[in-house]
Amino acid sequence: METVVRVALVYVAIFVGLRVMGKREFSQLSPMELITLLLIPEIVSQGVVGDDFSLTNALVGVATLLALVLATSYLQTMNTRAEKLISGDPTVLLYHGRLYEDNLLRERVTPDEVSGAARAAGYLDLDAIEWAILEPDGRISVIPRDGYRPRAVHAQEHDLA
Amino acid sequence: MRSTEDPTLAPGPPQLPQAPSMVRRLVVPREHAVGQAVIVLIVVLALVGAVGHADGGAQARTESVTVSVEYPTRIRYKTEGALMLTIEAADHDIEDVSVAIDSSYLDAFAEVSFLPTAMAASRQRTVIPVGDIGAHEDRLVKGELRAERYWLHEGWIEVATAEEVVARLPLSTLVLP
């Protein structure tokens, strides 16, 4: 029973910690963010399994984690308020060519990152973008304005002869 | 990127279109039901202690002595457990008491240590001398065991004097991997 309680506490702590850090930590990670998330398992592993290195304990730990993930998933599927609490809401970063600085600052997104998302979608200029939305999973969705088409960038265009 | 609006007067961003609503209910696909049930079962078994450490005991009483033992009946691999044997003399003194434990049972454990220290060991038995016990006095033999071999291990623990075996109690321990 102690392992179940330990895993559940660590799961809740990490989940709440990442949730309050915002959506950015779920998207492409900067080196600092990646290092932090790689270190978390190392730091918490001893707290999770304690001194018990048996296979039984490992299976109990994994089953507990999977059960919590399942429960979280079912909860947010069955309840709208739970879904908002667990996943959060999308945030408009840009509309009709205008960046919303308050939203950018709150979500710790820079204009360069929005431009980068636009370029990844094939748009060189933010004037071509109708919507740029920071999704709950940290991705930036880009919706172009009517009449604008993405520029397809092919690798071979840059190959030297 | 240009903005022709005065940001101090401009309104906030527009609301995003809402996703259509649907009746939210619990649906578990048949192909996932068994697996998810197994996962939940493992957690429930762990919460009720069915796959954790458990202790059990046994007791024997004769005219001259009462012997009781407490030991791990279920233990996980590489975890430690304690074996406690209590010998209580009845109305008269008991001389030259010793405790013997089935060596094949102890083979399931590593880092075995006893207090008092075991003085003799063979393939059949490990002997721990206790000495004399006065009337209405008791002695405690304590063992520390670390589970090393999986599955069920059975054996016995025996209390004897110079003349006879006064009590023999069964031991049965399940070592979970």
Side-chain angles (χ1 to χ4, degrees):
Chain A
M1 179 175 175
E2 183 179 329
T3 299
V4 172
V5 173
R6 282 171 179 257
V7 171
L9 284 174
V10 170
Y11 173 88
V12 170
I14 293 177
F15 187 89
V16 171
L18 291 178
R19 184 72 183 87
V20 301
M21 284 172 67
K23 295 186 267 285
R24 300 303 284 125
E25 277 62 41
F26 292 99
S27 183
Q28 291 178 341
L29 302 173
S30 70
M32 181 60 70
E33 293 162 335
L34 188 63
I35 289 170
T36 302
L37 288 179
L38 285 176
L39 281 178
I40 286 177
E42 291 293 324
I43 292 169
V44 304
S45 64
Q46 191 63 39
V48 169
V49 301
D51 292 331
D52 189 342
F53 300 104
S54 65
L55 182 60
T56 302
N57 196 42
L59 289 176
V60 168
V62 170
T64 302
L65 189 60
L66 293 177
L68 288 168
V69 171
L70 270 175
T72 306
S73 175
Y74 277 120
L75 187 62
Q76 68 174 10
T77 301
M78 291 170 60
N79 186 282
T80 308
R81 291 177 69 179
E83 181 184 11
K84 288 190 183 302
L85 188 65
I86 292 168
S87 299
D89 291 317
T91 303
V92 175
L93 303 176
L94 177 149
Y95 173 67
H96 213 63
R98 181 195 169 204
L99 286 171
Y100 287 88
E101 293 183 3
D102 286 350
N103 287 354
L104 283 163
L105 290 171
R106 186 170 60 246
E107 300 294 347
R108 298 193 304 281
V109 176
T110 65
D112 284 339
E113 289 176 296
V114 179
S115 297
R119 287 193 297 274
Y123 300 92
L124 202 56
D125 193 338
L126 287 181
D127 284 341
I129 305 303
E130 182 79 0
W131 295 89
I133 302 163
L134 180 64
E135 304 292 351
D137 63 1
R139 290 178 301 111
I140 298 177
S141 299
V142 170
I143 312 295
R145 289 185 175 188
D146 288 340
Y148 285 84
R149 288 165 44 193
R151 296 174 62 177
V153 178
H154 298 287
Q156 54 267 31
E157 291 182 34
H158 302 282
D159 290 342
L160 297 177
Chain B
M1 209 289 292
R2 301 186 303 276
S3 173
T4 57
E5 299 170 319
D6 181 350
T8 62
L9 300 178
Q15 289 289 323
L16 291 170
Q18 293 296 307
S21 62
M22 72 172 188
V23 174
R24 296 183 179 235
R25 54 197 169 88
L26 178 65
V27 175
V28 181
R30 188 178 302 175
E31 61 271 20
H32 295 163
V34 174
Q36 292 179 14
V38 170
I39 288 170
V40 173
L41 180 64
I42 291 173
V43 175
V44 170
L45 288 175
L47 282 172
V48 301
V51 290
H53 187 101
D55 289 316
Q59 189 178 68
R61 190 190 298 269
T62 68
E63 286 184 359
S64 59
V65 69
T66 299
V67 177
S68 60
V69 64
E70 188 176 317
Y71 65 99
T73 54
R74 189 173 59 236
I75 192 171
R76 291 179 182 175
Y77 177 68
K78 293 281 190 198
T79 61
E80 294 184 350
L83 183 149
M84 311 277 278
L85 178 75
T86 304
I87 309 165
E88 184 178 353
D91 295 336
H92 53 270
D93 298 348
I94 314 173
E95 294 179 353
D96 200 16
V97 177
S98 65
V99 174
I101 304 177
D102 184 356
S103 292
S104 63
Y105 172 82
L106 293 179
D107 285 345
F109 302 93
E111 298 181 9
V112 177
S113 63
F114 288 100
L115 191 67
T117 306
M119 295 301 290
S122 66
R123 283 189 174 183
Q124 288 75 38
R125 56 183 56 223
T126 298
V127 179
I128 304 158
V130 177
D132 301 337
I133 305 177
H136 302 292
E137 291 182 355
D138 57 53
R139 294 289 184 272
L140 177 67
V141 174
K142 183 177 178 181
E144 296 286 340
L145 314 166
R146 193 187 72 181
E148 192 69 17
R149 292 166 65 178
Y150 303 156
W151 309 131
L152 188 64
H153 304 281
E154 295 178 319
W156 45 263
I157 187 167
E158 187 178 270
V159 177
T161 64
E163 293 86 27
E164 61 177 351
V165 173
V166 296
R168 184 165 165 133
L169 300 172
L171 302 173
S172 179
T173 301
L174 175 65
V175 177
L176 297 172

